[in-house]
Amino acid sequence: MSFIVVMAELFPKEGAEDKLIPLAEALVEETLKEEGNIDYKFLKSIKDGNFMFVEQWESVEALSKHMASPHFQLFSKESADLAENMEIKVIGAEEVNLYE
């Protein structure tokens, strides 16, 4: 099975973490309902305090629909002033079973 992996690292501005977390949680909740979404996680690094979205999508088309969705657009708008930057990596992946 092939799929798309997205790793989006969000660099919050100082003092903005507590405002970003509920926005991200709402985004995750709505995204998990989307057709074509396999998994969507929101994580916080213990090393540097940055946030990471780790996403799995069935296809590029599903990811594109997500990026056009109202909840993604709302998150982008509301988080814009709370983050220094966001680095996004999109990777084509294929499932590997290590135990066969």
Side-chain angles (χ1 to χ4, degrees), residues 25 46 77 80 97:
E25 289 172 340
I46 59 171
K77 180 182 175 184
N97 187 341

Side-chain angles (χ1 to χ4, degrees), residues 30-76:
E30 290 303 312
T31 300
L32 288 170
K33 299 173 188 175
E34 287 183 53
E35 184 176 337
N37 177 261
I38 299 169
D39 195 22
Y40 202 87
K41 290 187 172 39
F42 175 66
L43 310 167
K44 182 177 180 180
S45 172
I46 59 171
K47 177 182 170 189
D48 54 23
N50 292 335
F51 297 126
M52 177 75 74
F53 292 95
V54 180
E55 313 167 27
Q56 292 177 315
W57 295 93
E58 291 178 0
S59 66
V60 172
E61 294 79 20
L63 175 57
S64 295
K65 286 181 183 178
H66 164 66
M67 294 177 72
S69 69
H71 51 272
F72 181 82
Q73 294 296 317
L74 181 63
F75 174 81
S76 296

